[in-house]
Each structure stands twice: as structure tokens, then as C-alpha cells.
Amino acid sequence: MTSATPAPDLANLQLGALPLTEITKLSGLEIFQHMKEGKLPAPPIMVTMQIFLETAEAGRAVFRGNPGKAHMNPQGTVHGGWISTILDTSMSCAVHTELKPGEIYTTTSLTVNMVRPLMPGSGEVRCEGLVAHRGSRLATAEGRLVDAKGKLIAHGTVTCMIFPLQTA
């Protein structure tokens, strides 16, 4: 699997929480554009989990990851928490791309179906999230995690609650 987007230099990436005073003026898609340009910080979990944003567009978010030994379970496969994290990230961020200025969201439910094991060091994986429904207060998205050969590793769904930032 090849991709036009190179992995960011995670060691020199600006990390942190999004500054609430700035993001209230931006749409969800604009926030992702600013993160990719380095104008806004990226979430620190990217470094811990070795996942990063490839693409964000309206209703769609794609992340790539490279799970290693740090993400193994006792049996030697990649932990289901890592798989769940990249799926939650891609699906929830797909919802995030559809937010209006002043809106935020939180995941309320996550369903993950793992269909084959993922081995650390097996190469880069790609996870795509697509919004299935965006209402005024709830949104749902679907996601697929595939390995370097395009084989399905896991798929899932997420439900997100959308609310005004000032009520958070």
C-alpha cells in the first residue's frame, strides 16, 4: 500500500489540546486543515499510538498507523485497544469534519468487530471513517481498518453526541 501523504515527524510535531478560544471560530474541517498545516496542535495520543492523519474531508477521515511491540497483547498480536483506538479516531474524526463553528462532540458508543489478527511489525495499516448520518445532536459513522495488502482487519461503528462548546 502506498500513499501520497508521508508520515509526519512525530518527534517534532506540535502536540496538545486544541485551544478552545481559537476553535470556536472554525468548522471541524477547518480545524483539521489547520492541524495538518501545523497551525494547531495535534493530539498527543498520535505519538503514543503511532497513528496519524492522512486525509480529512467533509464526512471522511483517513488515518494510517504502524503498530509495534509497544502495542502488543500477551499473545503477541496487536492489542484490541490499539485497533479500537484507530477505528474510533477515524470514525469520530469523520464526524468532527462535519461540525459547525462552536460545536464539539464526544463518542457515546463504539462497536468494533475484529476479523483477523494484526501482528506488530506487519507494516502500515490504513483506517477510513465515513459519516453515515449527521443529525443536530447525534451522528453515526462507519469505519474499516485494512492492512498493507488491503485485507480487512476490523470494522466498526461509532455514535457521537454533538453539542455547543459553551455547554461542555
Side-chain angles (χ1 to χ4, degrees):
M1 172 176 55
T2 59
S3 177
T5 305
D9 178 4
L10 294 177
N12 294 315
L13 196 61
Q14 177 189 352
L15 301 172
L18 293 171
L20 297 181
T21 55
E22 289 182 44
I23 67 167
T24 58
K25 304 171 194 138
L26 302 172
S27 71
L29 189 54
E30 290 170 323
I31 289 169
F32 281 104
Q33 291 166 341
H34 284 223
M35 280 193 284
K36 282 199 71 120
E37 295 167 1
K39 295 177 185 175
L40 287 173
I45 195 168
M46 289 177 59
V47 174
T48 303
M49 300 303 269
Q50 293 294 298
I51 62 175
F52 61 94
L53 177 65
E54 176 183 302
T55 304
E57 53 193 41
R60 180 174 176 260
V62 179
F63 283 78
R64 292 189 294 159
N66 199 356
K69 288 184 179 182
H71 307 112
M72 286 190 326
N73 64 25
Q75 298 175 31
T77 61
V78 174
H79 193 279
W82 189 92
I83 292 168
S84 297
T85 298
I86 195 168
L87 272 162
D88 181 39
T89 301
S90 66
M91 296 183 295
S92 296
C93 287
V95 169
H96 192 159
T97 66
E98 300 223 331
L99 296 180
K100 299 171 191 156
E103 289 183 324
I104 61 174
Y105 74 97
T106 189
T107 299
T108 61
S109 68
L110 171 67
T111 301
V112 175
N113 300 289
M114 297 170 216
V115 299
R116 68 175 33 90
L118 179 59
M119 302 305 291
S122 63
E124 188 175 85
V125 296
R126 184 174 185 274
C127 193
E128 180 176 14
L130 297 167
V131 172
H133 168 78
R134 202 290 193 191
S136 62
R137 293 288 174 244
L138 288 178
T140 58
E142 302 165 336
R144 294 174 52 88
L145 175 66
V146 297
D147 67 12
K149 296 176 183 173
K151 283 193 162 196
L152 183 67
I153 300 296
H155 58 96
T157 58
V158 72
T159 301
C160 296
M161 180 189 320
I162 300 167
F163 50 94
L165 177 63
Q166 59 268 33
T167 63

